[in-house]
């Protein structure tokens, strides 16, 4: 990662677009290997992921909403999804993802969704690890907190 090459301060968080249509597993794996937390913005891909047949099938299996299935998949990938919602109903649904788990077969089904599409439509090459909109938050040492 470029910031790791030029900075003496350790990167601790990388915020990036991450969802089933754009699951940047190479970057996620790299961050996890480096102990960098991934915060996933646009985890529902502006609701496009809610229309995926396999997601709807899985949501019926668990009696959950498609959004809950996607957010749970994100959590089980060890990311921190940050969904946007103006609806109290959706906020309540989003918080009800902590008392159940997707089984490994369902995780694999979501993993295998093959569509390379960013929700925000920014021009990024899928063949490289891009960092144009990544947000890096530097780890604070306990000695620097006053």
């Amino acid at each position: 990662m470029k910031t790791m090459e030029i900075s003496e301060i350790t990167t601790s968080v990388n915020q990036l677009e991450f969802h089933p249509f754009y699951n940047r597993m190479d970057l996620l794996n790299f961050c996890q290997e480096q102990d960098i937390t991934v915060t996933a913005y646009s985890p529902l891909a502006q609701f496009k992921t809610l229309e995926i047949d396999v997601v709807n099938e899985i949501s019926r299996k668990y009696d959950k909403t498609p959004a809950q299935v996607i957010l749970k998949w994100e959590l089980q990938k060890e990311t921190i999804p940050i969904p946007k919602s103006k609806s109290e109903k959706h906020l309540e649904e989003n918080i009800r993802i902590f008392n159940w788990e997707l089984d490994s077969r369902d995780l694999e089904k979501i993993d295998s969704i093959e569509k390379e599409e960013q929700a925000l439509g920014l021009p990024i090459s899928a063949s490289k690890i891009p960092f144009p909109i990544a947000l890096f938050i530097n780890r604070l040492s306990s000695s620097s907190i006053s």
Side-chain angles (χ1 to χ4, degrees):
M1 242 167 71
K2 213 173 220 180
T3 58
M4 295 173 75
E5 294 171 10
I6 61 174
S7 176
E8 295 175 15
I9 301 171
T10 305
T11 300
S12 62
V13 177
N14 187 1
Q15 184 180 44
L16 54 113
E17 184 173 346
F18 188 89
H19 47 75
F21 285 156
Y22 200 63
N23 65 11
R24 302 163 68 188
M25 295 307 297
D26 54 347
L27 183 54
L28 177 63
N29 292 334
F30 174 82
C31 288
Q32 290 171 342
E33 289 168 6
Q34 299 298 318
D35 199 27
I36 299 170
T37 301
V38 171
T39 304
Y41 71 83
S42 196
L44 303 176
Q46 297 182 337
F47 306 108
K48 295 174 190 171
T49 57
L50 307 185
E51 300 168 2
I52 303 170
D53 290 339
V54 70
V55 172
N56 282 287
E57 173 188 314
I58 293 168
S59 72
R60 287 188 295 275
K61 174 181 173 181
Y62 292 92
D63 194 28
K64 302 294 179 187
T65 67
Q68 288 173 313
V69 168
I70 296 300
L71 294 174
K72 188 61 176 186
W73 173 80
E74 299 255 356
L75 283 176
Q76 286 184 239
K77 290 291 174 192
E78 299 181 14
T79 71
I80 301 171
I82 48 174
K84 176 183 173 183
S85 180
K86 296 178 184 177
S87 160
E88 186 174 331
K89 177 186 172 199
H90 291 152
L91 289 170
E92 288 175 10
E93 285 176 1
N94 292 350
I95 201 70
R96 294 183 184 181
I97 60 172
F98 297 102
N99 62 348
W100 59 281
E101 297 287 320
L102 293 167
D103 67 36
S104 60
R105 286 173 299 191
D106 292 327
L107 289 170
E108 289 172 10
K109 286 179 185 178
I110 297 171
D111 286 346
S112 68
I113 294 169
E114 290 191 27
K115 188 169 184 182
E116 189 74 25
E117 180 180 315
Q118 291 178 267
L120 301 179
L122 299 174
I124 295 179
S125 168
S127 64
K128 299 178 183 172
I129 298 178
F131 299 100
I133 52 179
L135 170 65
F136 298 99
I137 302 173
N138 294 323
R139 182 176 294 159
L140 297 174
S141 68
S142 58
S143 63
S144 67
I145 300 174
S146 49

